[in-house]
Amino acid sequence: MHIGVLTGGGDCPGLNAVLRSVVRTAEKEYGSTVVGFRNGWRGLLEDDAMVLDRPVVNGLLTRGGTVLGSARVAPQKLRDGLGRMREVLDAHGVDALLPIGGEGTLTAAAWLASEGVPVIGIPKTIDNDIHGTDLTFGFDTAVSIATDLIDRLHTTAESHQRVLLVEVMGRHAGWIALNAGLASGAHLTITPEQPFDIEEVCKLVTARFDRGHRHVIGVVSEGATPLPGTMPLRDGGLDEFGHRRFTGVAQQLGEELERRTGKEVRTTVLGHVQRGGTPTSFDRVLATRFGLHAAIAAHEGHFGQMVALHGTEIGLVPLADAVRELKTVPKSRLAETASFTG
Ligand code: F6P
């Protein structure tokens, strides 16, 4: 069998570990070969491919990023390019395509699958917002990095009796904020799922200082928004991929908070550092298992599916179901933070 792989969307720690796992399983267990398309779907549209064999993937288990490169491609360009992708896959003699990506990449994978292309999706994103899988690799690394950095902010915030707001990634889902907030003992967590009330935030901050505490740590998802009519938030419009352009919600919240409470506020935006560097051991294992099971599924002909973590086992879910909606943080999980808020 000849397997095609690509890595699409924002990169995330563990992508290289998946590539290594697919190649090792395909070559060693089945005597199959693997071709990689560079820069996500763009590599398939432009027929930009490279051989992926064991010498190429040796040593990739621990390396962040993706040796294939990654890119976002506008949804309309993908829709219009499905025919071209089929041509390129045929030209390379690809028997199974394994796209590794988040919502956008997997949606295009589902389109191809619905046209009869043999596809098996592999979910990745630090945001952990893919439906149908308990976790995506990259998430644990992002939470670990964010936690480590927030831990460091406690001491400086305390020394200066400041409010420190930390903006973490999370476009539609607050999983990183929720988990990094719980892990680092944050006093306030704001996620995209629950618009925040600036009045409530001010009350929390004032009450905490009134009780004699010397600092406040707040974790804010980049996709968080204020309750309508409570506080202005600059509108950055949409980018060419249809994503909201963020304008720095934590910074704007911090300025408003300082103005209303008189407390000194500083904001730290963690940004792409959350996606960089080596994956945690958890993500290395999850990525390796996803790659292994995707390669097995390809050889067994389970097309139109996505590998997924269910409890401790790796299973398969229909791609079309996985991309139907995003996995956001449920109210019950947000409620769990209540005892640790303030
Ligand atoms: O989708 C993963 C992610 O890291 C989001 O958390 C973030 O909003 C986005 O990618 C950033 O994308 P880019 O790397 O294109 O700035």
Side-chain angles (χ1 to χ4, degrees):
M1 174 175 252
H2 193 44
I3 294 180
V5 290
L6 60 86
T7 53
D11 75 338
C12 100
L15 286 170
N16 279 327
V18 178
L19 298 177
R20 167 183 174 271
S21 174
V22 169
V23 169
R24 285 179 73 109
T25 308
E27 285 191 6
K28 206 159 162 244
E29 304 302 324
Y30 299 97
S32 293
T33 47
V34 182
V35 58
F37 294 96
R38 290 194 182 88
N39 305 318
W41 295 112
R42 200 196 292 163
L44 207 46
L45 292 167
E46 296 173 359
D47 193 1
D48 186 3
M50 64 185 271
V51 169
L52 277 185
D53 56 13
R54 288 179 71 184
V56 174
V57 299
N58 275 345
L60 287 192
L61 177 62
T62 59
R63 206 190 312 164
T66 161
V67 289
L68 281 181
S70 195
R72 296 189 201 280
V73 181
Q76 194 52 47
K77 213 168 167 186
L78 290 173
R79 270 230 181 262
D80 295 343
L82 294 178
R84 167 71 181 151
M85 292 182 200
R86 297 180 71 139
E87 278 170 23
V88 174
L89 289 170
D90 287 345
H92 283 270
V94 169
D95 303 300
L97 179 67
L98 311 185
I100 312 166
E103 177 210 0
T105 307
L106 296 173
T107 299
W111 292 339
L112 274 177
S114 71
E115 295 200 354
V117 177
V119 171
I120 294 164
I122 304 180
K124 71 86 220 181
T125 164
I126 64 164
D127 289 2
N128 193 38
D129 58 2
I130 302 297
H131 186 70
T133 181
D134 292 353
L135 290 170
T136 48
F137 62 86
F139 172 64
D140 185 68
T141 306
V143 170
S144 302
I145 293 169
T147 302
D148 179 46
L149 295 172
I150 298 167
D151 282 349
R152 289 167 193 278
L153 292 174
H154 275 277
T155 52
T156 173
E158 211 168 359
S159 306
H160 292 271
Q161 299 181 53
R162 283 174 174 161
V163 178
L164 259 164
L165 296 181
V166 186
E167 186 173 299
V168 297
M169 280 187 167
R171 202 195 294 278
H172 306 286
W175 293 106
I176 297 177
L178 180 85
N179 279 24
L182 274 176
S184 61
H187 311 112
L188 166 72
T189 301
I190 298 178
T191 67
E193 289 83 355
Q194 203 164 35
F196 63 88
D197 182 346
I198 180 74
E199 280 297 330
E200 292 301 319
V201 176
C202 290
K203 270 192 214 151
L204 181 149
V205 165
T206 308
R208 200 174 144 74
F209 280 107
D210 286 350
R211 290 200 307 276
H213 294 290
R214 293 178 56 86
H215 75 304
V216 179
I217 298 282
V219 184
V220 184
S221 298
E222 62 184 353
T225 52
L227 272 175
T230 54
M231 185 197 116
L233 180 68
R234 279 194 300 283
D235 181 5
L238 298 180
D239 65 16
E240 59 176 308
F241 312 109
H243 294 143
R244 217 177 105 207
R245 254 192 229 101
F246 296 123
T247 59
V249 59
Q251 177 67 31
Q252 293 171 70
L253 167 61
E255 285 166 14
E256 193 67 18
L257 196 55
E258 194 166 81
R259 195 177 65 75
R260 293 189 187 210
T261 63
K263 302 293 175 197
E264 227 186 339
V265 183
R266 292 287 188 274
T267 302
T268 304
V269 180
L270 299 190
H272 290 82
V273 73
Q274 293 160 95
R275 271 180 16 199
T278 187
T280 58
S281 55
F282 181 90
D283 280 338
R284 293 177 201 181
V285 172
L286 183 58
T288 299
R289 293 182 74 206
F290 274 175
L292 168 76
H293 285 271
I296 293 172
H299 287 89
E300 292 181 353
H302 299 303
F303 298 121
Q305 306 284 313
M306 179 187 86
V307 289
L309 179 70
H310 296 146
T312 56
E313 297 306 308
I314 307 293
L316 293 171
V317 294
L319 254 175
D321 291 349
V323 298
R324 199 158 288 142
E325 58 180 339
L326 282 174
K327 185 184 67 182
T328 51
V329 179
K331 282 201 166 59
S332 58
R333 291 296 304 274
L334 293 172
E336 285 179 2
T337 64
S339 308
F340 309 100
T341 297

